Amino acid sequence: MLLVGGLSREIGQTPGSGLMFITDILLFSGIMDKYQEQPHLLDHHLEGMMNSLLEIVWDSASPPPLVHLAFKFLYIITKVRGYKRFLPLFPHEVRDLQPVLDMLAKQNPRDPETWETRYMLLLWLSMICLIPFDLARFDGNLVSLEGQARQPTMDRILDIAKCYLVVSDKARDAAAVLVSKFIVRPDVKQSRMADFLEWVLSMLSKSSSQTMEGTVIVNGMLQALAQLFKHGKREDCLPYAATVLECLDSCKLSESNQMVLRKLGMKLVQRLGLTFVKPKVAKWRWSAAKGIGRITGRLPKELADDVIGSLLDCFSFQETDNAWHGGCLALAELGRRGLLLPSRIPDVVPVMLKALTYDEKRGACSVGSNVRDAACYVCWAFDASTSPALVIAAVFDRDVNCRRAASGTFPHGIDILTAADYFAVGNRVNCYLTISVYIAGFPEYTQPMIDHLVNMKINHWDSVIRELSTKALHNITPQAPEYMANVVLPRLLPLSVGSDLHTRHGAILACAEITHALCKLLKLFMFLAVAGGWQWLINDSLRHLTLVSSAARQHIKLVTQYVSELQNSEEMIRCGFSRALGALPRFLLKGRLQQVLEGLKKVTIISPEDVSFAEARRDALIAIAKVCQTVGVKGDGSQQEFVCRDNVDQIYATLLTGVTDYTTDSRGDVGGWVREAAMTSLMEVTLLLVQNEAELINASICKQIMCWLAQQSAEKIDKFRAHAGSVFLTLLHFDHPPVPHIPHREELERIFPRWQKETLNWNAASEAFPRITQLLGLPAYQYHVLLGLSVSVGGLTETTLRYSAQSLFDHMKKIQSDPSALGSFCETLSSLAAFPLTLLPFPSLFSLPFCKSDVHPFPVKLFTLCKEEIKRSKDIRKLRSSIGVFCGLIQFQGDMREKVFFQLFLLLCHPFPIIRKTTASQVYEMLLTYSDVVEPAIMEQATAILRAGEEGPVLREPHPVTFRAKQPFHEHLCSDRSREPAF
């Protein structure tokens, strides 16, 4: 602030005849920028700085460049503090109007060097326009001394506003502000408002937002209208609102490519809507409360007591929150005026305490913050700030305004106020986890705070409040450990198995947090005991070895019970006990690790009875990784205690099984949840081994992990593809130390550079698939990547289908000149063709060179596999995809073509109409594409029949038209009628 004050004095000094340099402007701007975060610090100095700068403006001896410089400084201050705060400081007396108008008249609207001057003068004029005098008084005799007519002041201001509404600099914004202040004047709106709006709408209609000049004009008109409908009275703007809305609709701003125009159009539409809709007055009952207080003050004692009794009837849970709110305000007014009788205090205090915690859920939100706020007012009015309830409200209320309303003077006031002042209670997490612990240190607040959390907060409908409350109980436990152990925990245990879901959730979390806190205290106590030489405590423990043995037996029983529940017929029970096993401490798992892993492994196995238990399988896979992290790694250790050589393969086998889970149900691809958990667990276990004993990871396991991750990185669901890609790159680029045995590590690091690990967007098909298809050139990954791509190419999402298919086809074109690579690719593809969904991308393969050969094994194998795949199949998608495959295979000569034609004839006679129609359509397109497959003489007749099949019923028996390859095909067809159909 000394800097600002010094700056004010510096500006106040007359600069003499010299001019300030551009460095002075930059220096001043830099000083002002320091106040961008807290601009209110400038408020005490604004008026002084403005007056100092305006002295330069008013001084007739100041040269024009110096005047412009002063306005530049004024603009810099306005930019930091905002013009709304700066505006009232401008001189706005009657005598200021003409000089400001004259200065504006001298300005050049197109001068790019002095736009700050015009901007500030327009803002200044908008303030002067508020003077409560008829502008006609300024006109006097409109005939000048030279005998020429002068323009009225009202018209001068309007012309200035119109002039600057169509400029391209920031003066346009100030002109819109000027319009909003000037047009709504009583004398102006009667005579000029209609004409001005007509001018604005005509400019909007004539201007096009497709040109630069038109964009500037439309921007100015929209700003003027938005400001006018914001500041104008509803009754003044309503007659013009419909016309403005119609004109705005015709401008079609929503189709404009200018974001600013779309924003201004939306702002104007909102304000037009507010103009059409009649204002709704809020249900505010403070006036009624004050009235009750004033009237009650003049009533006799008996009647005044009746008023209080009637008010107390408002505090019923049959009443709405409005009744509670009004009742609190009325009680506060009575208490403030000293009208509440001492005999009524026992009736009022319980009501006040209920109001301080009033919170009713309505749909997805709640009501009651106004009631709690008013209840705080009641406490202050009664001077009941000593109540712990008010302190509790200041710390634990859900809404910041209620916490602030409750904060103030308490017992231990200076200490508590320092921790729980108006600003500190603004952060809810800080209140629950920090301030509450400090206040609970004072004995009179400890137990009430704990009771409030247990009774009112751990069963709250908002899950965030429940979780914060249980963490607060954890933090407060050291203040009252005996009360927590002897009173709170016995109260929470029955609630943890209750029927209410919110209460059960909060009680379980609270039990966990309090128990955890008590255990930490016990450990601290034991440490202090040993450190203090209390050997008797250790000796006493050794005398009770039977107790230790009993505890061990209970531990074994506990783990056995948890494992047995993993096979429960209810899925959620399996989920709960899986997660419980994953959270067990190491001493409970010691000696029973193999039992736990076997139990979790059984949960991950898919059987006909629990095929839909995807969530249970997911939680079991998560638990396996957690258990491994808890027990740690020791290569030559026991499999009952550590992850070691004897069980590492079993762990990996279970996790890798989860990556193959593709189960679906009415919820969709629920197996995706399992695959996602399996990938995460594979990463966690692998990194655990790498950081401890990397030699436990063999090359075969590492290859399987990376290949399955590559497959998942190529699949169609964006979420799972992104997760797989992230895990893949995490393992590839891990350096502490590197993961061993990753196949083709150098090629992978070239395809996925380290610097792109965080920037590559796996969710975007356009980024992911061009990268992942490069793995097709790496033999170790080819099968799995092709398997993943085949699912994506056969997907239903347009972007995924387009980019995956294009990336796959780009790779095929890239290798078509390499016989070895092409042969390897075709061999791998042939091994996938037995999967139904992989048939979809195959039609695009027939442009490759092997299609010119009649003896290439891939097309022959593809035909055989496709034929077997649709045999007796009723899968519409599979049948339709096979049609495309057969139509592509028609290029081949000889026996292959006859076999393909036979399969197409069978599909033309299929029992399903959609298959017959699809076959007719695709065969028709095939005949037009490959015109040499039939005799030219019968082409027209064949295409006519197939075209009719597309439009109506298709023949149930083969038509006697002869399709000719090298010989009459109908002979082959007739000779094969007795063979078994292929479906």
Side-chain angles (χ1 to χ4, degrees):
M1 297 312 300
L2 292 174
L3 178 62
V4 178
L7 183 59
S8 302
R9 292 192 296 274
E10 295 272 344
I11 295 173
Q13 297 175 359
T14 304
S17 58
L19 298 179
M20 300 182 75
F21 295 96
I22 190 66
T23 53
D24 299 318
I25 300 176
L26 295 174
L27 176 62
F28 184 76
S29 179
I31 294 172
M32 288 293 103
D33 284 343
K34 295 178 181 179
Y35 293 88
Q36 289 280 10
E37 292 293 332
Q38 296 182 331
H40 62 276
L41 297 177
L42 294 170
D43 288 355
H44 294 299
H45 306 275
L46 290 178
E47 189 171 4
M49 289 191 288
M50 172 180 276
N51 292 336
S52 300
L53 291 167
L54 288 183
E55 286 179 10
I56 299 174
V57 174
W58 288 128
D59 189 352
S60 59
S62 299
L66 186 58
V67 173
H68 290 313
L69 191 61
F71 278 116
K72 286 181 185 291
F73 285 171
L74 280 173
Y75 169 72
I76 292 172
I77 300 171
T78 307
K79 181 184 70 172
V80 174
R81 190 60 185 99
Y83 79 87
K84 293 180 182 178
R85 180 66 182 81
F86 205 64
L87 208 57
L89 301 179
F90 277 114
H92 47 275
E93 300 179 8
V94 174
R95 64 183 181 182
D96 298 318
L97 178 60
Q98 289 298 336
V100 172
L101 278 174
D102 292 339
M103 279 190 283
L104 270 169
K106 295 176 183 178
Q107 301 300 314
N108 178 7
R110 308 296 178 184
D111 185 357
E113 301 296 329
T114 59
W115 62 267
E116 294 97 337
T117 302
R118 301 190 295 276
Y119 176 78
M120 297 308 300
L121 285 173
L122 288 167
L123 289 179
W124 192 355
L125 182 59
S126 69
M127 191 64 200
I128 298 174
C129 284
L130 299 179
I131 55 177
F133 292 97
D134 193 330
L135 294 178
R137 297 186 180 184
F138 294 94
D139 297 336
N141 186 2
L142 292 178
V143 180
S144 65
L145 297 177
E146 292 80 9
Q148 296 180 347
R150 292 188 296 110
Q151 191 178 22
T153 303
M154 188 182 296
D155 292 340
R156 288 184 67 191
I157 296 174
L158 269 177
D159 287 348
I160 288 173
K162 291 179 179 179
C163 172
Y164 286 103
L165 279 175
V166 295
V167 298
S168 58
D169 54 44
K170 196 169 178 62
R172 180 180 60 218
D173 302 349
V177 176
L178 172 60
V179 166
S180 69
K181 307 287 186 184
F182 182 67
I183 296 295
V184 298
R185 284 176 55 96
D187 53 343
V188 178
K189 70 183 178 186
Q190 292 178 1
S191 57
R192 298 291 191 275
M193 188 173 185
D195 294 338
F196 177 77
L197 288 174
E198 184 179 355
W199 174 79
V200 170
L201 296 181
S202 66
M203 293 292 289
L204 270 178
S205 302
K206 292 187 295 184
S207 303
S208 171
S209 59
Q210 303 302 319
T211 64
M212 184 64 70
E213 183 180 359
T215 299
V216 170
I217 295 174
V218 172
N219 188 308
M221 299 304 110
L222 291 175
Q223 284 202 57
L225 289 172
Q227 291 279 4
L228 184 57
F229 278 87
K230 178 180 180 180
H231 296 287
K233 294 182 180 178
R234 178 176 181 268
E235 56 270 21
D236 297 333
C237 297
L238 187 57
Y240 310 102
T243 306
V244 174
L245 181 61
E246 183 179 355
C247 179
L248 184 65
D249 186 55
S250 64
C251 292
K252 299 187 182 303
L253 293 177
S254 61
E255 301 175 4
S256 173
N257 56 3
Q258 298 289 329
M259 183 187 69
V260 176
L261 298 186
R262 297 198 303 271
K263 178 184 175 182
L264 288 172
M266 187 58 63
K267 183 182 294 186
L268 179 55
V269 167
Q270 295 172 25
R271 290 175 181 168
L272 286 170
L274 292 175
T275 304
F276 285 120
V277 179
K278 188 176 181 180
K280 184 178 181 180
V281 180
K283 296 178 180 178
W284 191 249
R285 302 185 59 169
W286 204 340
S287 295
K290 289 180 178 178
I292 290 174
R294 295 186 182 112
I295 295 172
T296 306
R298 300 188 181 186
L299 294 176
K301 178 180 177 181
E302 293 76 10
L303 295 179
D305 189 65
D306 289 342
V307 172
I308 297 173
S310 299
L311 281 176
L312 292 175
D313 292 337
C314 295
F315 299 98
S316 166
F317 283 99
Q318 282 73 38
E319 297 288 346
T320 65
D321 59 300
N322 291 329
W324 280 71
H325 181 221
C328 285
L329 292 175
L331 283 178
E333 288 296 326
L334 293 176
R336 191 172 64 87
R337 298 168 190 271
L339 301 175
L340 195 65
L341 301 178
S343 61
R344 280 292 187 179
I345 295 295
D347 299 326
V348 172
V349 170
V351 168
M352 178 190 68
L353 296 177
K354 289 180 181 178
L356 281 171
T357 58
Y358 186 95
D359 190 10
E360 294 292 327
K361 188 177 181 185
R362 300 280 176 83
C365 58
S366 69
V367 297
S369 60
N370 57 340
V371 178
R372 301 194 301 275
D373 187 279
C376 295
Y377 178 38
V378 176
C379 292
W380 297 121
F382 289 176
D383 194 21
S385 59
T386 58
S387 169
L390 199 60
V391 182
I392 289 170
V395 178
F396 293 136
D397 198 279
R398 183 170 178 269
D399 291 282
V400 62
N401 60 311
C402 297
R403 296 198 297 273
R404 286 175 169 167
S407 64
T409 305
F410 308 107
H412 308 287
I414 294 177
D415 295 330
I416 292 180
L417 187 61
T418 303
D421 62 5
Y422 181 86
F423 297 103
V425 298
N427 187 302
R428 185 165 64 186
V429 176
N430 183 53
C431 286
Y432 272 81
L433 303 185
T434 304
I435 298 176
S436 66
V437 179
Y438 178 78
I439 297 176
F442 299 99
E444 55 264 62
Y445 296 122
T446 308
Q447 186 173 327
M449 292 180 75
I450 294 172
D451 291 341
H452 175 80
L453 290 171
V454 172
N455 296 331
M456 304 298 300
K457 288 296 189 289
I458 65 167
N459 58 355
H460 198 274
W461 61 270
D462 187 346
S463 61
V464 176
I465 296 295
R466 296 199 298 271
E467 293 171 6
L468 283 175
S469 302
T470 59
K471 291 177 182 177
L473 286 171
H474 173 95
N475 293 345
I476 297 174
T477 296
Q479 310 288 353
E482 292 184 0
Y483 185 74
M484 288 289 194
N486 299 329
V487 179
V488 176
L489 278 178
R491 192 190 309 173
L492 289 173
L493 288 174
L495 298 178
S496 64
V497 292
S499 58
D500 182 73
L501 185 61
H502 294 159
T503 304
R504 192 194 312 172
H505 177 239
I508 292 172
L509 286 178
C511 287
E513 292 288 355
I514 294 172
T515 305
H516 185 202
L518 290 172
C519 289
K520 289 199 297 185
L521 285 175
L522 181 60
K523 288 181 180 178
L524 179 61
F525 171 74
M526 292 293 292
F527 172 77
L528 293 175
V530 175
W534 295 353
Q535 189 64 40
W536 61 267
L537 184 64
I538 300 175
N539 294 337
D540 186 65
S541 299
L542 293 174
R543 294 189 190 102
H544 295 83
L545 288 177
T546 56
L547 181 63
V548 175
S549 177
S550 176
R553 287 195 299 272
Q554 290 298 322
H555 293 163
I556 296 173
K557 184 177 179 181
L558 177 71
V559 174
T560 303
Q561 179 188 356
Y562 281 16
V563 172
S564 66
E565 291 291 350
L566 293 177
Q567 294 302 309
N568 196 288
S569 58
E570 293 188 26
E571 182 182 17
M572 287 300 103
I573 293 179
R574 293 190 184 188
C575 293
F577 281 97
S578 293
R579 288 187 175 267
L581 286 168
L584 288 180
R586 188 177 187 281
F587 75 89
L588 286 178
L589 295 170
K590 186 177 181 181
R592 288 168 292 277
L593 176 59
Q594 202 60 25
Q595 178 188 6
V596 172
L597 291 177
E598 287 290 344
L600 292 171
K601 177 183 178 181
K602 291 179 181 178
V603 181
T604 65
I605 297 173
I606 303 175
S607 63
E609 296 79 20
D610 55 18
V611 66
S612 63
F613 286 10
E615 292 177 80
R617 296 196 292 275
R618 174 199 64 193
D619 291 346
L621 291 169
I622 294 173
I624 289 174
K626 299 300 180 188
V627 167
C628 293
Q629 291 174 323
T630 301
V631 299
V633 180
K634 189 175 181 180
D636 55 355
S638 168
Q639 63 177 352
Q640 295 291 352
E641 297 186 15
F642 302 98
V643 176
C644 60
R645 289 186 178 86
D646 295 332
N647 59 16
V648 68
D649 290 342
Q650 172 199 346
I651 293 170
Y652 270 123
T654 303
L655 297 179
L656 287 168
T657 301
V659 190
T660 65
D661 192 326
Y662 284 89
T663 54
T664 59
D665 61 16
S666 59
R667 297 170 291 179
D669 182 15
V670 294
W673 307 337
V674 184
R675 300 198 302 275
E676 184 178 22
M679 289 186 284
T680 302
S681 296
L682 280 169
M683 178 184 70
E684 292 175 351
V685 172
T686 301
L687 296 183
L688 176 69
L689 291 170
V690 166
Q691 293 172 339
N692 292 276
E693 297 193 36
E695 62 273 11
L696 294 181
I697 305 175
N698 60 55
S700 174
I701 290 292
C702 189
K703 179 181 178 182
Q704 290 182 63
I705 294 172
M706 298 303 289
C707 287
W708 277 109
L709 289 174
Q711 176 180 329
Q712 298 296 320
S713 302
E715 291 201 2
K716 61 184 177 181
I717 301 178
D718 294 345
K719 175 187 175 183
F720 301 140
R721 184 174 66 243
H723 185 70
S726 175
V727 173
F728 186 87
L729 295 187
T730 298
L731 294 179
L732 174 63
H733 296 300
F734 191 77
D735 287 332
H736 307 291
V739 178
H741 311 301
I742 293 182
H744 306 288
R745 180 188 291 274
E746 294 182 3
E747 292 89 342
L748 292 178
E749 291 182 345
R750 175 181 53 78
I751 298 171
F752 303 102
R754 187 179 299 271
W755 61 272
Q756 289 186 348
K757 176 184 175 184
E758 303 298 334
T759 59
L760 180 60
N761 184 7
W762 289 95
N763 279 306
S766 57
E767 291 189 40
F769 285 110
R771 293 294 184 87
I772 204 67
T773 49
Q774 296 183 46
L775 301 186
L776 291 172
L778 307 178
Y781 298 99
Q782 190 177 73
Y783 176 88
H784 287 274
V785 173
L786 196 53
L787 185 59
L789 282 172
S790 64
V791 176
S792 298
V793 174
L796 300 179
T797 306
E798 181 182 354
T799 55
T800 302
L801 190 153
R802 181 170 72 250
Y803 287 109
S804 60
Q806 184 60 48
S807 300
L808 177 60
F809 197 66
D810 288 345
H811 174 76
M812 292 190 293
K813 289 196 296 184
K814 181 180 177 181
I815 64 172
Q816 65 181 355
S817 58
D818 185 347
S820 175
L822 184 61
S824 174
F825 177 82
C826 291
E827 184 179 351
T828 304
L829 196 60
S830 299
S831 65
L832 301 178
F835 292 87
L837 295 181
T838 62
L839 297 174
L840 287 174
F842 287 161
S844 61
L845 302 178
F846 302 112
S847 61
L848 296 179
F850 62 71
C851 295
K852 300 175 182 177
S853 170
D854 293 341
V855 294
H856 197 283
F858 174 70
V860 177
K861 187 173 183 180
L862 176 59
F863 172 80
T864 303
L865 289 171
C866 189
K867 176 183 173 182
E868 290 298 319
E869 194 66 35
I870 65 171
K871 190 175 182 180
R872 297 184 181 85
S873 174
K874 296 182 180 180
D875 187 333
I876 297 294
R877 191 177 178 197
K878 187 188 298 184
L879 290 166
R880 294 181 70 176
S881 64
S882 69
I883 299 169
V885 176
F886 290 138
C887 288
L889 290 171
I890 205 71
Q891 304 173 64
F892 293 87
Q893 303 290 332
D895 187 55
M896 171 66 78
R897 182 174 293 180
E898 293 182 2
K899 293 178 180 179
V900 168
F901 262 126
F902 182 75
Q903 292 299 321
L904 290 173
F905 273 125
L906 294 175
L907 289 168
L908 279 171
C909 304
H910 199 276
F912 295 167
I914 185 64
I915 299 301
R916 299 198 300 271
K917 185 173 182 179
T918 304
T919 306
S921 175
Q922 294 198 27
V923 170
Y924 175 78
E925 294 174 4
M926 176 266 292
L927 292 178
L928 295 179
T929 304
Y930 307 112
S931 56
D932 62 329
V933 299
V934 297
E935 296 290 343
I938 61 171
M939 172 66 84
E940 184 176 350
Q941 185 182 1
T943 53
I945 294 172
L946 292 169
R947 191 163 52 245
E950 291 183 76
E951 299 171 356
V954 183
L955 297 174
R956 289 302 312 272
E957 294 294 335
H959 196 274
V961 173
T962 303
F963 290 87
R964 294 189 181 275
K966 298 293 184 179
Q967 56 190 2
F969 186 72
H970 69 282
E971 297 176 2
H972 176 77
L973 178 62
C974 295
S975 64
D976 282 59
R977 276 187 179 273
S978 60
R979 71 172 58 175
E980 183 180 2
F983 45 79

